[in-house]
Amino acid sequence: MASPKPAHADDLAKQQRSISVAEFFEKNKHLLGFDSPTRGIVTTVKEAIDNALDACEEAGVLPDIYLGIFRMEGDIFKVVVEDNGPGIVPDNIPYVFGKLLYGSRFHQIRQSRGQQGIGISAAVLYAQLTSGRPTLVISRCGSDRPAFRFQVQIKTETNEPEILKREETTWDRVHGTRIEIEFKSSLTARKRLVEYLRYTSVVNPHARLIVEIDGEAIIFDRASDEPIIPPQAILPHPHGVELGELKRIAAGSKEPLEPFLINSFSRVGQKTAHEIIQLAGLKETTKANKLDADGLARLQSAMQQAKVPPPPANQCLSPIGEVLIRQGLEKEFQFDFCSARTRPASVYHGHPFIVEAALGYGGKLEAEGNARIMRFANRVPLMYQQGACAITGCISTVNWRAYNISQSGLPTGPVLILVHVASTNVPFTSESKDAIASIPEIERDITLALQELGRDLKTFLSRRDKSRLSEERARAICAIIPEIATKVAETIEKPVPDITPIEGQIMRRLVAKKWTDKGIVNVSIQNYTSHALDLTLYVITADDVSTSDPPAVFVEEMGTDKSAVWQMRLAGGEGWKLSYTGTGNGMIDIRGVDEKKKVVVDLDRS
């Protein structure tokens, strides 16, 4: 077999050409989270809703977002996302949706869901790649302006938008944007998709999401009517500027060094600028764009050494807040315990960040298996690559056993852990933004927040155990003391004494007792607290409650059982009694008093 002919440099040169970013991601779509049809639908929905939320917040309106997912022919699905944001001016629509790396947020140093301008245009690219169909966009910027309808695609060879249709149209929204994307996919990830929407609702309690998935309607309502104050962009911080970036910034300035430093970087005043220039050994009159390579290197080194206050996190970041985190969680989950923490702002490599965390326990959480972990970055759920995320690593390194939680690597049992990292530059491990990189400063704050929550939970569990023990003792007192009094009276042949003062001294609670004697069901309620209570007694039984004395205020048939209600007001130390004929089956309950301040004892079952 003849050996291959060696290639010449001229031949190789003919094969070389530049490629556009669109062409690159067309062949590497897995980097953006479009590695499979199953995941593709989750990523598309995520990118579209992130854009909608950002737009609404920047306009200062409460987000009302509609999401529709419809099965078309075969394995083609249509995703529709409509928002009530400010809309997009017609000339910009093709670039927003049809050009990768086009956007307004990349050059702004502030917290936002999107940064690179890749997300939604990548979804458009994925759609035309799998279905060959253009994306439809409708947008309107105000009641006095018409709506415009576009059909766009991306020219992958040049990363430029291709406008297939542009026309004015009628639309019932005063302002907002609607996007319709069709692509090959499946709904095998329906559970993951609903989970993403639920998590989004938790950390965006000001938003309302109306969802329709293949005929199934779901509403995630808002828990707060306060719109988010959008964060403001800040200048780069001296400690976060690298040499190449400094060279670019300096090249665009004709100012002398002192005003250049003051006007180009955050937290740099006249005193700090003078210190940096002195450390660099440069003259204040030197113009920034005249610095040579050595001068730039010395200036950058001095900027790192100088004592500069941290960036203004309260200006460029928008944390959720402890109250809203709890409201968002309690709207979607039921807990016995829920606590949240927002850590003070910190800085890594000149980038400000805030860590927030919450811990839920008990309620309707799964009692078996690992804890439910909810990871977020800039209010966006991180749905994939949990094991590669710094948040998961921090959770597994906390000693949860010290807080009375079982642990097998990750904590186990009825536990929910939420961690949110808000930053001007979240350090993701890849372009798909699924996991946060291991940055020591961020990991430290996550761990501290989790430890604080663990201490809160330990206190709750300790108090609950004490309360449970106290309640068991109270039940024993209610059941045993009357029997003791009866036996003693029989022994000494005297009447049974009134044990109410003894019970009251021991209990200091509201005590409800039920017992049956010779076909008569008796219920007594004694208010041993020091204040008056408005109470409601509920009895569910198959007995004939129509014979009750006093009569019930309400009786409802429940199959073979009846639900009866009595209401009363008892002053401190006052009692109340009820009787009716029956066998004593069923149950009783009291409302109108703190659960910790009542004891309900069924002596027929004791």
Side-chain angles (χ1 to χ4, degrees), residues 134-137 149-153 162-166:
T135 294
L136 184 144
V137 181
R149 184 175 184 271
F150 282 80
Q151 284 187 352
V152 297
Q153 284 187 328
E162 181 179 2
I163 304 170
L164 303 182
K165 183 179 289 187
R166 169 179 172 156

Side-chain angles (χ1 to χ4, degrees), residues 256-262 268-286 291 295 298-303 306:
L257 284 180
E258 183 177 301
F260 163 71
L261 291 170
I262 294 171
V268 176
Q270 191 172 10
K271 181 180 178 182
T272 305
H274 181 71
E275 180 187 352
I276 292 172
I277 294 167
Q278 290 292 103
L279 286 170
L282 299 170
K283 295 180 179 180
E284 294 185 0
T285 55
T286 303
L291 288 173
R298 284 154 54 196
L299 182 62
Q300 194 263 346
S301 177
M303 291 167 68

Side-chain angles (χ1 to χ4, degrees), residues 31 58 98 118 213 230 254 377 388 418 426 444 480 510:
L31 296 176
E58 288 171 3
I118 290 179
I213 302 178
K254 297 180 180 180
L418 178 153
V426 178
R444 173 184 172 276
I480 295 171
L510 179 90

Side-chain angles (χ1 to χ4, degrees), residues 66 69 193 273 291 350 473 521:
Y66 168 78
I69 299 177
L193 183 59
L291 288 173
R473 288 174 178 169
V521 182

Side-chain angles (χ1 to χ4, degrees), residues 412-434:
T412 59
V415 179
L416 180 149
I417 298 172
L418 178 153
V419 177
H420 173 230
V421 177
S423 177
T424 57
N425 183 27
V426 178
F428 292 110
T429 57
S430 68
E431 295 86 349
S432 60
K433 299 183 288 187
D434 289 319

